[in-house]
């Protein structure tokens, strides 16, 4: 999803700073962008690394105008088997890391009177899902953060929204399928088909369909404080 969103922003004329843990992966994405880019390898859960990413972008191009918070991961376990480290790790990556990035970006955005913050959340932030309690809690939490930030910034020219995909055809979903298959003994193709059936359109969402909503959130000054589902109608709200 991150690479597709980056491509959309680049094609729209934005200079795009890419960050993730893998330098090789970043270079591969940057090589496909039509416009200027920066590759800034960093761990989103490391506060010092996040500060360095922002400082580098600001020194190179100026303040961040569009912030897309896409880093995330899921742990799939029953509640009774979740460790403290797994619980805290999910909150750190899916909730605290977006908070830190927002906190760093907001002052410059409000000073300029324009900014867009988009968090890639999940439909797990809208409903309860079994065996992903830590992930679900973290995504519910980040949607609450989005709503509070949007209310706080409503008169500043800065919008804050969450995009909530269902099951998307990405490597993360591939890994989820493998883990469920290992735990249950069911063939991966059966697991994937079951995930497809969870969505009324009977297929996985594409990364491009998620990027469509990011485009909308960037373009509109009137959409803020929203958690927009991209799930083929699975969660109607």
């Amino acid at each position: 999803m991150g690479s597709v969103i980056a491509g959309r922003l680049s094609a729209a004329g934005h200079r795009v700073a890419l960050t993730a843990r893998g330098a090789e992966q970043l270079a591969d994405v940057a090589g496909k962008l039509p416009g200027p880019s920066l590759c800034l390898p960093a761990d989103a859960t490391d506060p010092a690394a996040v500060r360095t990413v922002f400082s580098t972008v600001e020194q190179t191009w100026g303040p961040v105008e569009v912030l897309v918070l896409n880093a995330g991961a899921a742990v799939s376990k029953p509640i009774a088997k979740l460790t403290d480290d797994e619980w805290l790790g999910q909150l750190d990556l899916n909730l605290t890391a977006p908070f830190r990035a927002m906190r760093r970006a907001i002052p410059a955005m409000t000073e300029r009177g324009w900014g867009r913050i988009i968090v890639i959340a999940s439909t797990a932030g809208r409903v309860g899902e079994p065996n992903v309690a830590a992930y679900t809690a973290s995504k519910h939490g980040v949607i609450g953060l989005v709503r509070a930030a949007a209310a706080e910034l409503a008169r500043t020219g800065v919008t804050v929204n969450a995009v909530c995909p269902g099951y998307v055809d990405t490597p993360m979903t591939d890994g989820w399928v493998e883990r469920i298959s290992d735990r249950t003994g069911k063939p991966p193709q059966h697991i994937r088909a079951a995930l497809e059936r969870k969505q009324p359109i009977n297929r996985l969402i594409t990364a491009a369909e998620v990027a469509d909503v990011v485009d909308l959130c960037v373009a509109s000054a009137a959409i803020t404080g929203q958690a927009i589902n991209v799930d083929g109608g699975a969660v109607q709200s």
Side-chain angles (χ1 to χ4, degrees):
M1 288 189 291
S3 63
V4 174
I5 292 166
R8 290 285 187 86
L9 291 171
S10 182
H14 295 275
R15 295 170 295 187
V16 178
L18 303 163
T19 184
R21 287 173 296 178
E24 185 176 335
Q25 181 187 30
L26 291 177
D28 180 61
V29 173
K32 299 172 184 175
L33 299 181
S37 64
L38 288 175
C39 293
L40 304 171
D43 182 343
T45 64
D46 180 352
V50 172
R51 290 193 295 269
T52 298
V53 166
F54 273 90
S55 296
T56 302
V57 173
E58 290 164 349
Q59 291 165 12
T60 307
W61 289 334
V64 172
E65 296 176 325
V66 177
L67 178 64
V68 179
L69 299 166
N70 179 65
V75 171
S76 177
K77 278 187 177 181
I79 292 173
K81 294 185 178 180
L82 272 174
T83 67
D84 283 1
D85 285 346
E86 288 167 336
W87 172 264
L88 293 172
Q90 290 285 274
L91 295 182
D92 199 19
L93 177 58
N94 297 328
L95 176 55
T96 304
F99 158 71
R100 290 191 183 117
M102 278 190 201
R103 182 177 60 186
R104 183 63 174 76
I106 283 170
M109 289 182 175
T110 55
E111 182 179 347
R112 293 162 67 92
W114 196 93
R116 299 288 184 265
I117 299 173
I118 299 113
V119 178
I120 307 302
S122 170
T123 52
R126 310 302 304 271
V127 295
E129 287 280 351
N131 299 313
V132 284
Y135 179 76
T136 298
S138 67
K139 293 298 186 180
H140 273 71
V142 84
I143 290 173
L145 173 63
V146 162
R147 290 170 171 161
E152 187 174 318
L153 300 172
R155 297 187 179 184
T156 67
V158 179
T159 66
V160 189
N161 291 288
V163 179
C164 300
Y167 292 98
V168 185
D169 192 6
T170 63
M172 180 176 170
T173 299
D174 293 339
W176 205 327
V177 167
E178 290 177 10
R179 288 191 294 274
I180 295 173
S181 177
D182 290 342
R183 190 177 71 240
T184 63
K186 296 179 181 178
Q189 61 269 28
H190 291 185
I191 304 298
R192 181 172 289 272
L195 297 183
E196 291 172 350
R197 288 194 299 271
K198 279 179 170 282
Q199 299 173 145
I201 57 176
N202 200 38
R203 64 169 175 82
L204 299 181
I205 307 302
T206 69
E209 289 166 331
V210 177
D212 289 342
V213 182
V214 174
D215 288 344
L216 180 63
C217 292
V218 173
S220 177
I223 299 175
T224 192
Q226 302 306 308
I228 303 172
N229 300 335
V230 189
D231 63 353
V235 179
Q236 297 184 355
S237 62

